[in-house]
Amino acid sequence: MSISMDLYLPIAGNAMNIFAVLGLGGLVGLLSGIFGVGGGFLMTPLLIMLGIPPTVAAASDSNQIVGASTSGTLAHFRLGNVDFKMGVLLLVGGVVGGTGGVQVIKILRAMGNADFLINATYVVMLGLIGGYMFYESLASMRASKAPRSAAKKAPAKPSRYGRMLQALPWQTDFPRSGVRISLLMPLVLGGFVGVLAAIMGVGGGFIMVPVMVYLLRMPMHVVVGTSLFQILFTCMNVTIMQAATNHTVDFVLALLLLIGSAVGAQFGAKIGKRLSGDHLKIFLATLVLVVMVKMLYGLLVRPDVLLAYAGGH
Amino acid sequence: MKTLKILFPLACALACILVLAVLAGPARAAGTELLVQPESVRIGTFYDGATLTVTGEVPAGSDVVVTFEGKSDDLHMKRKGKALGLFWMNMGSVTITHAPSVSLTCATRPLAELAAGKGADAALGLGELRGEIGIEPSGPDDAMLFDEFVKLKRGEGLYKETVGNVEMAAGPEGSADAATFTATVDLPSRLAPGPYLVHAVALKDGVVVWRGNAPVQAELVGTPKFIADLAFNHGALFGILATVVAILGGLIIGWLFQGASGAH
């Protein structure tokens, strides 16, 4: 009478419970829809924990992010939260930067101990981004509650940065984001995130979001929609490349995750709409800091097994 | 002198035949071959592990050890160590050679007890692998690395030793010098398609008195087979299709939600 609720995943070479995969997809999709991050930094380790080989976990996750970010971009587009012009420029920069980043990784690997540099970059970036976002949004929330007299913390740096922004050539209007900046900014920053994402082997959403908020000065809600739009194309590229060269995309796994995460992303977009920009920032900052602490813990505590399969990212 | 030259090789040949006859004796006395049911494992959409039943006839009063083993291969691994005396991370590469993909052993009694028997001529189960698996580059940590590798494989459910999954019964027609055994081997859900081998040994006082083996083929069928063929033989097309389906899936779910919110 018992019906098997397990599905065999032909590329991962393992069976998994359908509801566990759908639930995992739903949870990560929810976070993706709220914060505009791909969720790869959460999903991939969770899949590995459930017994999926690391390379298959990362590649299949990219495949599902394509679906989730399509759904998320659509939801945010309806809410008027996608700046296509900015997204395309960031994407162009990101592709160039990503290609450069892959070369950087090759050099680091040739020099040896690349893994240490990758892990150190991860922890430092997550710590800096999470810490700054947390501090800034907390200060901003306090300032909005208290009367004007509350001290504004960082006026000197932004004003110099603001002057630099205005001095750059090719100033362009980005009406959806409500900013006027040089075309160079999204291109260069997209490239910078692309390099880091390639080194760290992630989609880069959690770096891109703070870059858009603090360096491009876009409103938080538009940042989320635009980030998802950009992640869609990055992950399309990764999925096709991984399937063609490494045969590591498990379509059955990706499809199940996708059904969960696309539904989750829709709810996420609606929840995100109800939250203020500062609340969104402080929640994302907390998430980033939690991941940072988890990574640091992984670095400091002796692993259960002192061997791992080679061939991860 | 001439007759001695002719007689000596003849005596040697006769001695060899006698030794072989003695060695082969118990196997012949036990009679039947190893029987494995099912003969092949079909990995379909809802595959979630399978159970193999292994039966055979062995000399009465012996213990039986049955092993289900996958193809041996060399595995490239990362070795974890401490960097700067503080951080645990991948610190070097090692190759584990001749490691079977799967090794599941079940026995009538704990393997340590059986192998420790007087005159045991081979280690059993995972202990047997210690002699087969190599580590390159070799060094003073080889034993530790072997243990870590077994720990990793045990964690994946691919290396396992169980006691008590082998039942003994009287031999056919109440034969006093033979017994039959029935072993049940639980195959993991993490099973790759390919050839596998079931081998069984019977031991008496730590000495192997009977051996038998039978091949088992694990094969993908149905949807998993179709998907794996496409992924491995037409990778780029598979990637593009996976992307297109993901986009369509995302759009359909997005559209459904729009419908729901529109109706609301």
mmCIF file of all heavy atoms in Angstrom, chain A residues 176-215:
data_model
loop_
_atom_site.group_PDB
_atom_site.id
_atom_site.type_symbol
_atom_site.label_atom_id
_atom_site.label_comp_id
_atom_site.label_asym_id
_atom_site.label_seq_id
_atom_site.Cartn_x
_atom_site.Cartn_y
_atom_site.Cartn_z
ATOM 1 N N ARG A 176 13.950 54.320 -13.693
ATOM 2 C CA ARG A 176 13.315 53.340 -12.817
ATOM 3 C C ARG A 176 13.955 53.354 -11.426
ATOM 4 O O ARG A 176 13.264 53.208 -10.413
ATOM 5 C CB ARG A 176 13.445 51.938 -13.452
ATOM 6 C CG ARG A 176 12.790 50.839 -12.710
ATOM 7 C CD ARG A 176 11.286 50.958 -12.604
ATOM 8 N NE ARG A 176 10.606 50.699 -13.865
ATOM 9 C CZ ARG A 176 9.313 50.872 -14.071
ATOM 10 N NH1 ARG A 176 8.556 51.361 -13.089
ATOM 11 N NH2 ARG A 176 8.774 50.610 -15.229
ATOM 12 N N SER A 177 15.292 53.560 -11.408
ATOM 13 C CA SER A 177 15.981 53.614 -10.114
ATOM 14 C C SER A 177 15.989 55.030 -9.537
ATOM 15 O O SER A 177 16.350 55.222 -8.382
ATOM 16 C CB SER A 177 17.438 53.155 -10.264
ATOM 17 O OG SER A 177 17.496 51.838 -10.721
ATOM 18 N N GLY A 178 15.640 55.989 -10.372
ATOM 19 C CA GLY A 178 15.632 57.376 -9.918
ATOM 20 C C GLY A 178 17.024 57.922 -9.654
ATOM 21 O O GLY A 178 17.214 58.735 -8.747
ATOM 22 N N VAL A 179 18.036 57.465 -10.404
ATOM 23 C CA VAL A 179 19.393 57.990 -10.216
ATOM 24 C C VAL A 179 19.959 58.455 -11.558
ATOM 25 O O VAL A 179 19.494 58.033 -12.624
ATOM 26 C CB VAL A 179 20.353 56.931 -9.608
ATOM 27 C CG1 VAL A 179 19.971 56.598 -8.186
ATOM 28 C CG2 VAL A 179 20.430 55.676 -10.452
ATOM 29 N N ARG A 180 20.958 59.367 -11.478
ATOM 30 C CA ARG A 180 21.684 59.793 -12.670
ATOM 31 C C ARG A 180 23.164 59.571 -12.385
ATOM 32 O O ARG A 180 23.765 60.254 -11.551
ATOM 33 C CB ARG A 180 21.391 61.272 -12.957
ATOM 34 C CG ARG A 180 22.087 61.780 -14.203
ATOM 35 C CD ARG A 180 21.699 63.237 -14.502
ATOM 36 N NE ARG A 180 22.586 63.785 -15.538
ATOM 37 C CZ ARG A 180 22.463 63.524 -16.832
ATOM 38 N NH1 ARG A 180 21.498 62.752 -17.281
ATOM 39 N NH2 ARG A 180 23.323 64.054 -17.703
ATOM 40 N N ILE A 181 23.726 58.583 -13.047
ATOM 41 C CA ILE A 181 25.144 58.274 -12.834
ATOM 42 C C ILE A 181 25.805 57.941 -14.170
ATOM 43 O O ILE A 181 25.124 57.802 -15.196
ATOM 44 C CB ILE A 181 25.361 57.069 -11.870
ATOM 45 C CG1 ILE A 181 24.475 55.896 -12.286
ATOM 46 C CG2 ILE A 181 25.180 57.434 -10.423
ATOM 47 C CD1 ILE A 181 24.850 54.595 -11.659
ATOM 48 N N SER A 182 27.134 57.807 -14.112
ATOM 49 C CA SER A 182 27.881 57.471 -15.323
ATOM 50 C C SER A 182 27.621 56.017 -15.729
ATOM 51 O O SER A 182 27.468 55.146 -14.876
ATOM 52 C CB SER A 182 29.375 57.653 -15.055
ATOM 53 O OG SER A 182 30.123 56.996 -16.029
ATOM 54 N N LEU A 183 27.607 55.791 -17.046
ATOM 55 C CA LEU A 183 27.463 54.427 -17.577
ATOM 56 C C LEU A 183 28.573 53.509 -17.062
ATOM 57 O O LEU A 183 28.401 52.298 -16.967
ATOM 58 C CB LEU A 183 27.571 54.465 -19.113
ATOM 59 C CG LEU A 183 26.346 54.809 -19.934
ATOM 60 C CD1 LEU A 183 26.699 54.777 -21.405
ATOM 61 C CD2 LEU A 183 25.227 53.809 -19.650
ATOM 62 N N LEU A 184 29.734 54.151 -16.778
ATOM 63 C CA LEU A 184 30.897 53.356 -16.347
ATOM 64 C C LEU A 184 30.651 52.637 -15.022
ATOM 65 O O LEU A 184 31.181 51.561 -14.789
ATOM 66 C CB LEU A 184 32.121 54.272 -16.186
ATOM 67 C CG LEU A 184 32.776 54.776 -17.462
ATOM 68 C CD1 LEU A 184 33.877 55.752 -17.125
ATOM 69 C CD2 LEU A 184 33.319 53.610 -18.286
ATOM 70 N N MET A 185 29.854 53.285 -14.145
ATOM 71 C CA MET A 185 29.673 52.733 -12.796
ATOM 72 C C MET A 185 29.104 51.309 -12.799
ATOM 73 O O MET A 185 29.720 50.405 -12.239
ATOM 74 C CB MET A 185 28.798 53.671 -11.942
ATOM 75 C CG MET A 185 29.515 54.902 -11.450
ATOM 76 S SD MET A 185 31.017 54.522 -10.545
ATOM 77 C CE MET A 185 30.343 53.817 -9.055
ATOM 78 N N PRO A 186 27.911 51.096 -13.425
ATOM 79 C CA PRO A 186 27.405 49.714 -13.426
ATOM 80 C C PRO A 186 28.331 48.747 -14.153
ATOM 81 O O PRO A 186 28.466 47.580 -13.742
ATOM 82 C CB PRO A 186 26.049 49.811 -14.128
ATOM 83 C CG PRO A 186 25.994 51.140 -14.759
ATOM 84 C CD PRO A 186 26.950 52.035 -14.031
ATOM 85 N N LEU A 187 29.003 49.220 -15.204
ATOM 86 C CA LEU A 187 29.905 48.328 -15.944
ATOM 87 C C LEU A 187 31.064 47.876 -15.061
ATOM 88 O O LEU A 187 31.370 46.690 -14.967
ATOM 89 C CB LEU A 187 30.455 49.045 -17.183
ATOM 90 C CG LEU A 187 29.532 49.124 -18.397
ATOM 91 C CD1 LEU A 187 30.153 49.981 -19.494
ATOM 92 C CD2 LEU A 187 29.212 47.730 -18.935
ATOM 93 N N VAL A 188 31.706 48.858 -14.394
ATOM 94 C CA VAL A 188 32.882 48.544 -13.566
ATOM 95 C C VAL A 188 32.471 47.721 -12.339
ATOM 96 O O VAL A 188 33.104 46.719 -12.009
ATOM 97 C CB VAL A 188 33.604 49.852 -13.144
ATOM 98 C CG1 VAL A 188 34.673 49.566 -12.091
ATOM 99 C CG2 VAL A 188 34.211 50.530 -14.353
ATOM 100 N N LEU A 189 31.389 48.145 -11.682
ATOM 101 C CA LEU A 189 30.960 47.422 -10.481
ATOM 102 C C LEU A 189 30.467 46.015 -10.825
ATOM 103 O O LEU A 189 30.722 45.062 -10.090
ATOM 104 C CB LEU A 189 29.877 48.209 -9.737
ATOM 105 C CG LEU A 189 30.379 49.501 -9.087
ATOM 106 C CD1 LEU A 189 29.217 50.308 -8.529
ATOM 107 C CD2 LEU A 189 31.387 49.204 -7.981
ATOM 108 N N GLY A 190 29.765 45.898 -11.967
ATOM 109 C CA GLY A 190 29.338 44.572 -12.436
ATOM 110 C C GLY A 190 30.556 43.688 -12.658
ATOM 111 O O GLY A 190 30.562 42.504 -12.281
ATOM 112 N N GLY A 191 31.596 44.263 -13.226
ATOM 113 C CA GLY A 191 32.839 43.523 -13.464
ATOM 114 C C GLY A 191 33.486 43.087 -12.158
ATOM 115 O O GLY A 191 33.913 41.946 -12.015
ATOM 116 N N PHE A 192 33.484 43.994 -11.187
ATOM 117 C CA PHE A 192 34.076 43.708 -9.874
ATOM 118 C C PHE A 192 33.349 42.531 -9.199
ATOM 119 O O PHE A 192 33.980 41.586 -8.707
ATOM 120 C CB PHE A 192 33.995 44.990 -9.023
ATOM 121 C CG PHE A 192 34.226 44.790 -7.557
ATOM 122 C CD1 PHE A 192 35.509 44.527 -7.072
ATOM 123 C CD2 PHE A 192 33.176 44.889 -6.655
ATOM 124 C CE1 PHE A 192 35.721 44.354 -5.713
ATOM 125 C CE2 PHE A 192 33.384 44.717 -5.303
ATOM 126 C CZ PHE A 192 34.655 44.441 -4.832
ATOM 127 N N VAL A 193 32.024 42.587 -9.222
ATOM 128 C CA VAL A 193 31.246 41.500 -8.613
ATOM 129 C C VAL A 193 31.475 40.200 -9.392
ATOM 130 O O VAL A 193 31.589 39.117 -8.808
ATOM 131 C CB VAL A 193 29.740 41.851 -8.556
ATOM 132 C CG1 VAL A 193 28.928 40.673 -8.017
ATOM 133 C CG2 VAL A 193 29.517 43.066 -7.682
ATOM 134 N N GLY A 194 31.575 40.318 -10.726
ATOM 135 C CA GLY A 194 31.822 39.145 -11.566
ATOM 136 C C GLY A 194 33.119 38.445 -11.192
ATOM 137 O O GLY A 194 33.169 37.220 -11.099
ATOM 138 N N VAL A 195 34.180 39.238 -10.951
ATOM 139 C CA VAL A 195 35.480 38.665 -10.560
ATOM 140 C C VAL A 195 35.332 37.922 -9.234
ATOM 141 O O VAL A 195 35.718 36.765 -9.102
ATOM 142 C CB VAL A 195 36.559 39.774 -10.422
ATOM 143 C CG1 VAL A 195 37.841 39.217 -9.813
ATOM 144 C CG2 VAL A 195 36.856 40.406 -11.765
ATOM 145 N N LEU A 196 34.734 38.601 -8.248
ATOM 146 C CA LEU A 196 34.574 37.980 -6.917
ATOM 147 C C LEU A 196 33.715 36.730 -6.983
ATOM 148 O O LEU A 196 34.040 35.704 -6.380
ATOM 149 C CB LEU A 196 33.937 38.981 -5.950
ATOM 150 C CG LEU A 196 34.855 40.038 -5.369
ATOM 151 C CD1 LEU A 196 34.061 40.967 -4.466
ATOM 152 C CD2 LEU A 196 35.991 39.393 -4.577
ATOM 153 N N ALA A 197 32.603 36.806 -7.761
ATOM 154 C CA ALA A 197 31.689 35.663 -7.852
ATOM 155 C C ALA A 197 32.402 34.474 -8.475
ATOM 156 O O ALA A 197 32.239 33.338 -8.018
ATOM 157 C CB ALA A 197 30.455 36.028 -8.653
ATOM 158 N N ALA A 198 33.226 34.738 -9.493
ATOM 159 C CA ALA A 198 33.939 33.632 -10.143
ATOM 160 C C ALA A 198 34.958 33.021 -9.188
ATOM 161 O O ALA A 198 35.103 31.807 -9.122
ATOM 162 C CB ALA A 198 34.621 34.118 -11.412
ATOM 163 N N ILE A 199 35.641 33.864 -8.430
ATOM 164 C CA ILE A 199 36.641 33.351 -7.472
ATOM 165 C C ILE A 199 35.944 32.510 -6.406
ATOM 166 O O ILE A 199 36.391 31.424 -6.054
ATOM 167 C CB ILE A 199 37.412 34.516 -6.799
ATOM 168 C CG1 ILE A 199 38.311 35.198 -7.834
ATOM 169 C CG2 ILE A 199 38.241 34.015 -5.614
ATOM 170 C CD1 ILE A 199 39.040 36.408 -7.316
ATOM 171 N N MET A 200 34.813 33.016 -5.916
ATOM 172 C CA MET A 200 34.134 32.329 -4.820
ATOM 173 C C MET A 200 33.227 31.206 -5.324
ATOM 174 O O MET A 200 32.725 30.414 -4.518
ATOM 175 C CB MET A 200 33.322 33.341 -4.011
ATOM 176 C CG MET A 200 34.228 34.325 -3.285
ATOM 177 S SD MET A 200 33.445 35.891 -2.947
ATOM 178 C CE MET A 200 32.429 35.484 -1.603
ATOM 179 N N GLY A 201 33.003 31.134 -6.642
ATOM 180 C CA GLY A 201 32.168 30.066 -7.195
ATOM 181 C C GLY A 201 30.702 30.222 -6.849
ATOM 182 O O GLY A 201 30.001 29.258 -6.623
ATOM 183 N N VAL A 202 30.216 31.444 -6.774
ATOM 184 C CA VAL A 202 28.807 31.693 -6.450
ATOM 185 C C VAL A 202 28.199 32.654 -7.473
ATOM 186 O O VAL A 202 28.914 33.231 -8.290
ATOM 187 C CB VAL A 202 28.655 32.309 -5.040
ATOM 188 C CG1 VAL A 202 29.043 31.307 -3.984
ATOM 189 C CG2 VAL A 202 29.490 33.567 -4.913
ATOM 190 N N GLY A 203 26.884 32.815 -7.419
ATOM 191 C CA GLY A 203 26.202 33.712 -8.361
ATOM 192 C C GLY A 203 26.511 35.173 -8.086
ATOM 193 O O GLY A 203 26.504 36.005 -8.985
ATOM 194 N N GLY A 204 26.783 35.488 -6.851
ATOM 195 C CA GLY A 204 27.189 36.852 -6.525
ATOM 196 C C GLY A 204 26.061 37.781 -6.114
ATOM 197 O O GLY A 204 26.277 38.968 -5.906
ATOM 198 N N GLY A 205 24.838 37.237 -5.976
ATOM 199 C CA GLY A 205 23.687 38.069 -5.611
ATOM 200 C C GLY A 205 23.892 38.818 -4.306
ATOM 201 O O GLY A 205 23.559 39.982 -4.188
ATOM 202 N N PHE A 206 24.493 38.122 -3.331
ATOM 203 C CA PHE A 206 24.630 38.764 -2.014
ATOM 204 C C PHE A 206 25.720 39.834 -1.991
ATOM 205 O O PHE A 206 25.795 40.602 -1.050
ATOM 206 C CB PHE A 206 24.837 37.721 -0.902
ATOM 207 C CG PHE A 206 26.166 37.023 -0.952
ATOM 208 C CD1 PHE A 206 27.226 37.473 -0.202
ATOM 209 C CD2 PHE A 206 26.331 35.921 -1.783
ATOM 210 C CE1 PHE A 206 28.444 36.823 -0.257
ATOM 211 C CE2 PHE A 206 27.534 35.271 -1.841
ATOM 212 C CZ PHE A 206 28.605 35.728 -1.089
ATOM 213 N N ILE A 207 26.562 39.887 -3.040
ATOM 214 C CA ILE A 207 27.517 41.004 -3.147
ATOM 215 C C ILE A 207 26.880 42.094 -4.002
ATOM 216 O O ILE A 207 27.024 43.286 -3.730
ATOM 217 C CB ILE A 207 28.851 40.566 -3.809
ATOM 218 C CG1 ILE A 207 29.355 39.262 -3.211
ATOM 219 C CG2 ILE A 207 29.909 41.666 -3.661
ATOM 220 C CD1 ILE A 207 30.578 38.709 -3.910
ATOM 221 N N MET A 208 26.156 41.640 -5.061
ATOM 222 C CA MET A 208 25.555 42.601 -5.995
ATOM 223 C C MET A 208 24.519 43.497 -5.309
ATOM 224 O O MET A 208 24.444 44.700 -5.573
ATOM 225 C CB MET A 208 24.920 41.820 -7.156
ATOM 226 C CG MET A 208 24.404 42.689 -8.276
ATOM 227 S SD MET A 208 25.719 43.687 -9.006
ATOM 228 C CE MET A 208 26.209 42.640 -10.372
ATOM 229 N N VAL A 209 23.720 42.895 -4.408
ATOM 230 C CA VAL A 209 22.670 43.688 -3.762
ATOM 231 C C VAL A 209 23.258 44.871 -2.979
ATOM 232 O O VAL A 209 22.872 46.021 -3.210
ATOM 233 C CB VAL A 209 21.755 42.782 -2.888
ATOM 234 C CG1 VAL A 209 20.844 43.607 -2.004
ATOM 235 C CG2 VAL A 209 20.932 41.864 -3.779
ATOM 236 N N PRO A 210 24.220 44.655 -2.085
ATOM 237 C CA PRO A 210 24.803 45.810 -1.387
ATOM 238 C C PRO A 210 25.508 46.789 -2.331
ATOM 239 O O PRO A 210 25.471 48.001 -2.105
ATOM 240 C CB PRO A 210 25.825 45.192 -0.432
ATOM 241 C CG PRO A 210 25.530 43.763 -0.374
ATOM 242 C CD PRO A 210 24.759 43.379 -1.578
ATOM 243 N N VAL A 211 26.125 46.277 -3.407
ATOM 244 C CA VAL A 211 26.780 47.172 -4.375
ATOM 245 C C VAL A 211 25.744 48.114 -4.990
ATOM 246 O O VAL A 211 25.960 49.320 -5.115
ATOM 247 C CB VAL A 211 27.519 46.347 -5.468
ATOM 248 C CG1 VAL A 211 27.790 47.185 -6.706
ATOM 249 C CG2 VAL A 211 28.830 45.795 -4.922
ATOM 250 N N MET A 212 24.592 47.574 -5.358
ATOM 251 C CA MET A 212 23.540 48.408 -5.957
ATOM 252 C C MET A 212 22.994 49.413 -4.949
ATOM 253 O O MET A 212 22.725 50.564 -5.280
ATOM 254 C CB MET A 212 22.393 47.527 -6.447
ATOM 255 C CG MET A 212 22.707 46.710 -7.667
ATOM 256 S SD MET A 212 21.150 46.012 -8.243
ATOM 257 C CE MET A 212 21.716 44.560 -9.012
ATOM 258 N N VAL A 213 22.846 48.959 -3.705
ATOM 259 C CA VAL A 213 22.263 49.847 -2.687
ATOM 260 C C VAL A 213 23.227 50.976 -2.339
ATOM 261 O O VAL A 213 22.859 52.152 -2.362
ATOM 262 C CB VAL A 213 21.912 49.048 -1.408
ATOM 263 C CG1 VAL A 213 21.470 49.990 -0.288
ATOM 264 C CG2 VAL A 213 20.820 48.039 -1.691
ATOM 265 N N TYR A 214 24.493 50.616 -2.051
ATOM 266 C CA TYR A 214 25.400 51.614 -1.487
ATOM 267 C C TYR A 214 26.229 52.336 -2.536
ATOM 268 O O TYR A 214 26.554 53.507 -2.371
ATOM 269 C CB TYR A 214 26.318 50.950 -0.448
ATOM 270 C CG TYR A 214 25.543 50.429 0.722
ATOM 271 C CD1 TYR A 214 25.452 49.067 0.978
ATOM 272 C CD2 TYR A 214 24.846 51.304 1.555
ATOM 273 C CE1 TYR A 214 24.708 48.588 2.038
ATOM 274 C CE2 TYR A 214 24.098 50.833 2.617
ATOM 275 C CZ TYR A 214 24.029 49.486 2.851
ATOM 276 O OH TYR A 214 23.283 49.018 3.896
ATOM 277 N N LEU A 215 26.614 51.654 -3.602
ATOM 278 C CA LEU A 215 27.494 52.292 -4.576
ATOM 279 C C LEU A 215 26.718 52.849 -5.770
ATOM 280 O O LEU A 215 27.109 53.851 -6.356
ATOM 281 C CB LEU A 215 28.580 51.318 -5.041
ATOM 282 C CG LEU A 215 29.486 50.792 -3.913
ATOM 283 C CD1 LEU A 215 30.528 49.823 -4.432
ATOM 284 C CD2 LEU A 215 30.177 51.950 -3.172
#
